Amino acid sequence: MRKVIVQKFGGTSVADTEKIKNVAKTVIKEKENGNDVVVVVSAMGHTTDYLVKMAKDLSPDPSGREMDMLLSTGEGVSIALLAMAIQAQGYEAVSFNAMQIGIITENVHSKARIIDIKTDKLKKNLKEGKIIVVAGFQGVTEDGEITTLGRGGSDTSAVALAAALNAERCDIYTDVEGVYTTDPRIVPKATRLDEISYEEMLELAHAGANVLHPRSVETAKQFNVPLRVRSSFKTENLGTLILGVDKMEIYKPVTGVASDLSQARIVVCDVPDTPGQAAKLFSSLAKEHISVDMIIQSYARKVSNTNDIAFTIDSSDLDKTIKTLDSLKKDLNCGDIQVNDNIAKVSIVGAGMIDRPGIASTMFQTLADLGVNIKMISTSEIKISCLVDKDDAERALKALHKVFELEGDETAVVKGDLPDV
Ligand code: ASP
Ligand code: MG
């Protein structure tokens, strides 16, 4: 049976017609390798940003439905152009948007989750030998309403398609050469990883590494889709393979460090210390589809019998969060609500930190030596995150990258031959 390869090209890779021609060549090469090819593309260049800006010029709070109607148009342009470019090079291609295929999502605007993908049309066209070009980022509800998956969501479209088609691999072509130990724009000595596990990548993605849309990694992990992040300009390089942790040899406690500058911290002060308060608070946020990251509840004060609940959210949800909390304040019977968006989350991630003591203390000591104040701490099995002042984030990141020996001259973080996938 022929293997299916899903390829995804981001906005920079299809930013102009010259670049689209190059993408067509990469697509055709995969087809010439004897594979069935499904290509997912994002909107050209900064199209989506431009569309968002126009909407904001017209309305401070545009409706979710109309935003999705608007933003989904960007991908409509790039799929048709890429299909034409492939056809012009003598190959059969057809473009489809999410409605035509049936990329079904839940009924939520601006960050819908995919719940099902119909594969009939895809399989039929692949069988006919066609290269299929699919619009990323968009979906459709059971009722035929257009949705989008959240900024950067084309990665998730690609992985979900790969899972639905039982693809051999999903290649995410992008403007970086793979996944690095940290952002090479901030730390030039960052090194490219040959491999990283889904678990680590997920933590890094949530910690602010912008390489992949976090949900794409979740989906890849869930369906065991091998995922490769590679350069769309140096296509001969294999980039970074993301795979199950059981398939890796781990040498170092920390695989990567990341900072996330787009967080805001909320402190709900003087919450009466009675059962159900936290549930009330967080379920009202959940109802608004606001996801919460770090959460800390303080020890209850004896005299007032109240505590403080602090948590972080993505700054893009800040207005919605404040609105939600304002209407909840009475019901919670709490005190002040403090907001600080001048903060950043700095994280270290590594499957090798499991059962290895001293990693957290090394992190805290490194920050202490820099005079960086830690405002909140949260941990998972393979991640430690500290909330710091925004101005401190860069220094902290550089120092942590160094102290955990991730710099360029060191041996590769994960050794071993790349599996032949
Ligand atoms: N065009 C969308 C965005 O800019 C989706 C994507 O690029 O993945 O967020
Ligand atoms: Mg992207």
Side-chain angles (χ1 to χ4, degrees):
M1 234 185 53
R2 287 166 68 86
K3 290 173 180 160
V4 178
I5 302 285
V6 175
Q7 302 180 315
K8 182 255 166 180
F9 293 86
T12 17
S13 311
V14 292
D16 55 44
T17 47
E18 242 355 271
K19 293 200 171 116
I20 291 177
K21 269 187 212 164
N22 278 329
V23 168
K25 280 189 194 129
T26 309
V27 172
I28 287 168
K29 209 159 133 205
E30 198 61 78
K31 175 81 182 162
E32 284 292 308
N33 285 341
N35 296 313
D36 282 343
V37 186
V38 175
V39 197
V40 175
V41 280
S42 301
M44 293 170 74
H46 295 287
T47 304
T48 314
D49 290 336
Y50 175 63
L51 295 172
V52 170
K53 191 183 167 300
M54 283 201 291
K56 292 267 150 105
D57 282 351
L58 294 171
S59 159
D61 189 18
S63 82
R65 182 185 187 279
E66 299 313 324
M67 273 314 268
D68 282 353
M69 287 296 286
L70 176 69
L71 298 193
S72 62
T73 61
E75 274 68 14
V77 174
S78 46
I79 50 168
L81 290 175
L82 178 58
M84 286 174 201
I86 296 170
Q87 289 166 356
Q89 294 184 36
Y91 288 76
E92 277 199 273
V94 57
S95 70
F96 291 121
N97 62 31
M99 303 82 207
Q100 289 170 302
I101 293 172
I103 300 182
I104 311 295
T105 71
E106 54 183 9
N107 192 2
V108 177
H109 286 297
S110 88
K111 46 179 160 182
R113 284 174 179 270
I114 297 175
I115 47 184
D116 188 27
I117 296 185
K118 311 268 183 254
T119 53
D120 321 353
K121 205 175 209 144
L122 295 168
K123 284 185 178 151
K124 180 171 168 282
N125 281 276
L126 286 177
K127 215 168 169 191
E128 290 168 7
K130 290 181 192 144
I131 293 169
I132 303 180
V133 187
V134 180
F137 181 52
Q138 46 177 257
V140 61
T141 66
E142 302 276 11
D143 302 335
E145 283 296 305
I146 292 174
T147 55
T148 62
L149 311 182
R151 296 304 307 270
S154 299
D155 296 340
T156 300
S157 309
V159 176
L161 278 161
L165 291 168
N166 213 348
E168 181 73 5
R169 199 177 68 236
C170 182
D171 281 344
I172 308 278
Y173 286 89
T174 174
D175 50 348
V176 292
E177 285 184 42
V179 180
Y180 283 75
T181 48
T182 193
D183 189 339
R185 288 167 304 185
I186 304 176
V187 185
K189 280 188 175 174
T191 47
R192 186 183 55 76
L193 299 160
D194 287 337
E195 294 179 346
I196 186 170
S197 65
Y198 296 127
E199 291 78 2
E200 290 167 313
M201 193 61 227
L202 213 45
E203 293 285 17
L204 276 178
H206 282 298
N210 287 325
V211 200
L212 287 173
H213 193 232
R215 221 179 304 138
S216 68
V217 188
E218 266 164 42
T219 311
K221 177 171 180 257
Q222 190 180 348
F223 296 98
N224 226 334
V225 179
L227 195 58
R228 199 183 270 292
V229 176
R230 58 197 297 180
S231 162
S232 50
F233 307 109
K234 293 189 190 162
T235 51
E236 65 286 1
N237 293 0
L238 285 179
T240 302
L241 183 67
I242 308 170
L243 72 179
V245 70
D246 47 320
K247 303 208 177 84
M248 298 176 51
E249 285 178 71
I250 295 160
Y251 290 89
K252 287 188 177 175
V254 174
T255 304
V257 302
S259 65
D260 182 354
L261 303 183
S262 67
Q263 294 243 317
R265 180 180 68 168
I266 315 282
V267 187
V268 184
C269 301
D270 301 317
V271 183
D273 191 36
T274 52
Q277 293 285 71
K280 218 183 274 169
L281 173 58
F282 293 108
S283 58
S284 64
L285 295 173
K287 238 181 252 150
E288 296 298 321
H289 299 276
I290 298 165
S291 42
V292 173
D293 187 11
M294 302 164 119
I295 303 176
I296 291 181
Q297 179 183 300
S298 70
Y299 188 64
R301 283 177 284 269
K302 273 229 172 77
V303 180
S304 59
N305 200 29
T306 60
N307 58 42
D308 301 332
I309 300 179
F311 57 91
T312 62
I313 49 156
D314 199 273
S315 342
S316 64
D317 284 331
L318 188 55
D319 292 345
K320 214 160 55 163
T321 305
I322 293 173
K323 235 194 242 167
T324 309
L325 292 178
D326 277 345
S327 58
L328 190 73
K329 214 171 158 185
K330 233 176 160 180
D331 192 14
L332 271 183
N333 195 17
C334 62
D336 272 359
I337 293 173
Q338 293 171 7
V339 177
N340 181 356
D341 61 358
N342 193 23
I343 49 145
K345 183 177 66 172
V346 179
S347 308
I348 61 172
V349 171
M353 70 172 72
I354 298 174
D355 290 335
R356 216 186 289 210
I359 307 300
S361 62
T362 304
M363 178 178 195
F364 303 152
Q365 190 59 54
T366 306
L367 298 181
D369 292 345
L370 294 173
V372 168
N373 189 34
I374 303 172
K375 294 168 175 294
M376 275 170 103
I377 299 169
S378 79
T379 61
S380 79
E381 222 182 2
I382 61 166
K383 180 185 76 173
I384 305 168
S385 299
C386 294
L387 205 66
V388 300
D389 275 336
K390 213 171 236 168
D391 289 344
D392 289 333
E394 190 169 325
R395 301 189 291 135
L397 194 75
K398 284 182 174 151
L400 292 168
H401 189 262
K402 189 164 184 179
V403 83
F404 288 109
E405 300 181 3
L406 299 175
E407 290 199 341
D409 300 335
E410 305 286 335
T411 43
V413 176
V414 179
K415 289 186 190 152
D417 287 336
L418 286 177
D420 186 22
V421 292

